[in-house]
Amino acid sequence: EALSRASAASIGQFKPQELANTAWAFATVGHKSPALFEALSRASVASIGQFKPQNLANTAWAFATAGHPSPLLFDAVARASAASIDQFKPQNL
């Protein structure tokens, strides 16, 4: 829990890949931290235009796997994915 609090506190400094990797890591280990996922969601929505296809895919997967609902984030991921669909590789879909 200390790691999730520390991550949430510094989330404003994270780049898109760091946001996606953090969400992926916490979802992978099954650590539910609503405060962290909310912070990740807000920061991701704010910088979604800078996300690469892999970041978009990892972020969507992480939030779905963690069971953390974030309609604004999923809408932003959908819009960004549609706008950059020609850059996606099969593994990103």
Side-chain angles (χ1 to χ4, degrees):
E1 194 59 32
L3 184 56
S4 65
R5 282 193 306 274
S7 295
S10 61
I11 221 95
Q13 301 169 14
F14 285 21
K15 296 175 182 139
Q17 184 170 348
E18 294 163 341
L19 292 167
N21 288 353
T22 301
W24 178 89
F26 278 87
T28 297
V29 298
H31 184 79
K32 297 193 185 281
S33 177
L36 174 62
F37 276 91
E38 276 305 309
L40 286 165
S41 176
R42 286 190 302 275
S44 296
V45 168
S47 61
I48 203 76
Q50 300 170 29
F51 276 50
K52 294 180 181 177
Q54 188 68 52
N55 304 144
L56 293 168
N58 287 353
T59 300
W61 178 89
F63 274 76
T65 298
H68 188 85
S70 184
L72 291 177
L73 174 64
F74 280 103
D75 287 346
V77 167
R79 283 191 307 277
S81 296
S84 62
I85 196 69
D86 60 325
Q87 298 173 20
F88 276 68
K89 296 176 183 170
Q91 71 187 33
N92 304 133
L93 301 171

